[in-house]
Amino acid sequence: MALVHKFLNGTCILRNYLKPSAALHSFWGIYFANYCSNSLQKPVAASGRASQKKTEEGLQRHHQKEVALDITSPEEKPEMNFDKAIKDELKDHFRRLKDEIMNHWVGPEGRPLHDVLLEQAKVVWQFRGKEDLDKWIVTSDKTIGGRSEVFLKMGKNNQSALLYGTLSSEPPQDGESSQSGYCAMISRIPRGAFEKKKSYDWSQFNTLYLRIRGDGRPWMVNIKEDTDFIQRKNQMYSYFMFTRGGPYWQEVKIPFSKFFFSNQGRIRDAQYQLLLDKISTIGFTLADKVDGPFFLEIDFIGVFADPAHREEFAYENSPDLNPRLFK
């Protein structure tokens, strides 16, 4: 019995030892194939090379399939995480709100109060890059069916903004509008945290200061106050700006006391003074009824405290036109 038991154990061990594994099978298979291909006779060498070539092509195809599985298909779109986008937007708004609160404790616009009070001139808009152009909107009579075109781009060397286009006074063929022909450039309303509207405070300045270069056309400068009343959304204060033309720059200074009050494009008989502590937007409009190309190049737009200008308001009012001012 002991001899039978030893014989059976030896047979089992030998069987397990000779059992081929997957790696051992692949290794000996490749070795045996190479040995056979090398030991074949010359007449059948070509068939051996063909089989080897087929084997290599099969391996390459298999490798290409594995690589293709790792490459993302161009038809597949990246996943969009709306929750992450909302969280990032909220973080940005809270960061801006924190900056506004800290700047408010320091002073106006985050600067010490004595620096602001001693300031004689201030550049509000300048054009040195595409981010400066994004603060403006261009529009024309195309919104009502007209044919005027207007464009805004950076000037030479990215040191100015070039407003150009073509003015056409031909009215739209809609049977309603009888007049047309205007192009405009308007600044965007400044926004704070959570898209809260902000305004400019120019109460310590008395003059609008610009550096421009034009083609000799007259422009209208429009200033709007910050208001939440729907009845006052079309109200603005305007004044003319005349360009000389030619290659030379000109500095334009327009006192705020010269701006006249208008509503829906009509100058009102009762005039009101412009409130400089709540300025919302400023714009430039061309509507001189001269068809053809135009351009206006702007270096910067700022405000200036002119000590020689002491006029408060350039227009008179009578009790009949504006009785509220004489109560």
Side-chain angles (χ1 to χ4, degrees):
M1 290 297 293
L3 292 174
V4 174
H5 181 70
K6 287 183 179 181
F7 177 77
L8 291 177
N9 286 338
T11 305
C12 183
I13 292 171
L14 182 61
R15 186 181 300 172
N16 293 333
Y17 176 78
L18 295 177
K19 187 178 181 179
S21 61
L24 190 63
H25 178 73
S26 61
F27 171 76
W28 286 109
I30 295 173
Y31 180 79
F32 180 76
N34 293 333
Y35 174 76
C36 292
S37 61
N38 293 331
S39 61
L40 288 175
Q41 297 178 358
K42 289 183 180 181
V44 294
S47 61
R49 290 176 183 176
S51 62
Q52 183 178 2
K53 186 176 180 181
K54 290 182 180 180
T55 306
E56 290 176 356
E57 289 178 356
L59 292 174
Q60 289 179 358
R61 290 176 184 175
H62 182 69
H63 179 69
Q64 290 177 357
K65 289 181 180 180
E66 291 180 350
V67 173
L69 292 175
D70 297 333
I71 299 175
T72 305
S73 175
E75 298 179 356
E76 296 181 1
K77 297 181 180 179
E79 296 183 0
M80 298 182 65
N81 193 338
F82 292 99
D83 294 338
K84 185 177 182 301
I86 293 174
K87 289 180 181 178
D88 294 341
E89 188 72 15
L90 288 175
K91 287 181 181 178
D92 181 63
H93 281 290
F94 277 113
R95 179 186 57 79
R96 293 168 61 184
L97 180 62
K98 176 184 175 182
D99 294 340
E100 291 178 5
I101 295 174
M102 297 300 295
N103 293 337
H104 181 74
W105 284 105
V106 174
E109 299 180 358
R111 297 184 300 164
L113 183 60
H114 63 276
D115 292 346
V116 177
L117 295 176
L118 296 176
E119 194 174 27
Q120 295 294 321
K122 178 182 179 181
V123 176
V124 184
W125 292 279
Q126 63 179 355
F127 303 93
R128 300 296 183 267
K130 186 181 180 301
E131 62 276 3
D132 297 324
L133 296 182
D134 295 337
K135 300 177 183 178
W136 294 82
I137 304 172
V138 292
T139 182
S140 67
D141 54 19
K142 273 193 171 182
T143 56
I144 60 173
R147 297 187 177 182
S148 300
E149 294 181 343
V150 60
F151 307 95
L152 181 64
K153 69 176 184 179
M154 292 300 301
K156 293 182 178 180
N157 301 324
N158 291 335
Q159 296 296 317
S160 60
L162 181 60
L163 181 68
Y164 66 99
T166 305
L167 189 69
S168 175
S169 58
E170 182 180 353
Q173 304 297 326
D174 56 357
E176 298 179 357
S177 303
S178 59
Q179 295 180 355
S180 181
Y182 72 88
C183 296
M185 169 183 174
I186 308 170
S187 64
R188 294 182 184 271
I189 300 176
R191 300 282 180 174
F194 298 99
E195 297 300 322
K196 180 183 178 182
K197 288 197 303 182
K198 300 173 66 177
S199 59
Y200 300 99
D201 186 2
W202 298 343
S203 56
Q204 68 184 61
F205 306 100
N206 57 11
T207 305
L208 183 68
Y209 186 28
L210 307 96
R211 188 171 184 262
I212 62 170
R213 181 166 57 182
D215 54 359
R217 288 176 178 257
W219 291 76
M220 183 78 75
V221 183
N222 306 311
I223 298 178
K224 278 190 175 184
E225 295 178 346
D226 183 18
T227 178
D228 294 328
F229 295 101
I230 300 178
Q231 295 82 357
R232 300 181 62 183
K233 68 177 182 178
N234 295 321
Q235 297 179 0
M236 65 177 62
Y237 295 82
S238 307
Y239 198 74
F240 297 99
M241 179 182 68
F242 300 94
T243 59
R244 290 196 296 257
Y248 301 105
W249 290 91
Q250 66 180 104
E251 294 183 356
V252 179
K253 297 179 181 179
I254 306 175
F256 290 122
S257 60
K258 301 293 186 181
F259 283 80
F260 52 84
F261 175 69
S262 63
N263 188 7
Q264 294 182 350
R266 293 183 174 87
I267 302 175
R268 311 303 297 179
D269 294 332
Q271 290 294 313
Y272 300 94
Q273 190 173 357
L274 175 62
L275 300 178
L276 297 174
D277 59 342
K278 287 183 177 291
I279 302 297
S280 177
T281 62
I282 187 172
F284 304 91
T285 304
L286 177 66
D288 58 355
K289 297 182 180 180
V290 179
D291 295 354
F294 67 88
F295 80 91
L296 178 67
E297 193 171 359
I298 306 174
D299 183 9
F300 65 84
I301 305 168
V303 287
F304 174 65
D306 188 0
H309 183 77
R310 300 186 178 277
E311 184 183 48
E312 294 184 0
F313 195 47
Y315 308 101
E316 295 182 354
N317 282 303
S318 65
D320 297 332
L321 297 176
N322 199 349
R324 291 182 296 176
L325 297 178
F326 296 90
K327 289 183 179 179

